[in-house]
Amino acid sequence: GAGVSQTPSNKVTEKGKYVELRCDPISGHTALYWYRQSLGQGPEFLIYFQGTGAADDSGLPNDRFFAVRPEGSVSTLKIQRTERGDSAVYLCASSPGGALMNTEAFFGQGTRLTVV
Amino acid sequence: AQSVTQLGSHVSVSEGALVLLRCNYSSSVPPYLFWYVQYPNQGLQLLLKYTSAATLVKGINGFEAEFKKSETSFHLTKPSAHMSDAAEYFCAVRTDNNNDMRFGAGTRLTVKP
């Protein structure tokens, strides 16, 4: 597609359940980012992929959060044993990466996760 | 790691007045700086970016920002506010040695008629 696509757009889950959030980046973009945005806050960095590998996962809050990008394109953010505090909008972004460090990141519309 | 600080979580201006949204960065190496806008219930959209080519950067919707190394600042301005400018604005930074992009907490701009 032309832009970054995130699915689902909304997800409601019960406390303790497992969820997967999907991100389909712009074709050819090697860099992919996940952020979490709580109401009234800026995007909080979670993890950054360059290709298939997680170049920086220092933003993942705890071991319940995990993300993969097995083929260097689509990425899945996985949250185990969800808690009410995980409720937020999860944003995905991609950029060309590599030598193009001055290029902006392009954002998807986000997945609104609500844990009840 | 690099970071940005946005001074003022809320800014309110009258329609037609000057808009000034502040952003200061922290980086040990030359930064790339970005301003994004987020309208209610929408995704993040790039307003403008500084990539070292010119210190005064012009963006969409009449916004511009000036990179001032001596002040470690990249403040966003617009000479005359319009009602449609009401939104949340985020400053972000990235560097050559660290491709992840870090955002400030955001500034909510309100435009009064």
Side-chain angles (χ1 to χ4, degrees), chain B residues 21-84:
Chain B
L21 305 182
R22 300 178 187 274
C23 173
N24 287 88
Y25 69 90
S26 173
S27 176
S28 58
V29 298
Y32 300 117
L33 295 160
F34 307 82
W35 275 100
Y36 282 82
V37 60
Q38 188 175 36
Y39 298 103
N41 299 315
Q42 293 190 27
L44 286 155
Q45 178 184 358
L46 182 73
L47 267 180
L48 50 80
K49 62 182 179 182
Y50 166 73
T51 59
S52 76
T55 56
L56 182 62
V57 181
K58 294 186 184 299
I60 61 172
N61 301 338
F63 283 92
E64 62 182 38
E66 186 172 9
F67 174 73
K68 292 187 177 180
K69 185 178 178 180
S70 61
E71 299 177 7
T72 62
S73 69
F74 190 57
H75 301 330
L76 182 71
T77 61
K78 181 173 180 177
S80 176
H82 192 273
M83 297 296 290
S84 61

Side-chain angles (χ1 to χ4, degrees), chain A residues 33 98-105, chain B residues 2-4 23 25-27 29-36 46 48-53 57 67 74 91-103:
Chain A
Y33 311 81
L100 299 175
M101 294 289 190
N102 61 356
T103 306
E104 68 269 26
Chain B
Q2 67 272 26
S3 66
V4 290
C23 173
Y25 69 90
S26 173
S27 176
V29 298
Y32 300 117
L33 295 160
F34 307 82
W35 275 100
Y36 282 82
L46 182 73
L48 50 80
K49 62 182 179 182
Y50 166 73
T51 59
S52 76
V57 181
F67 174 73
F74 190 57
C91 184
V93 63
R94 174 197 276 162
T95 59
D96 267 335
N97 63 352
N98 191 351
N99 201 15
D100 60 27
M101 182 176 281
R102 302 300 175 112
F103 284 80

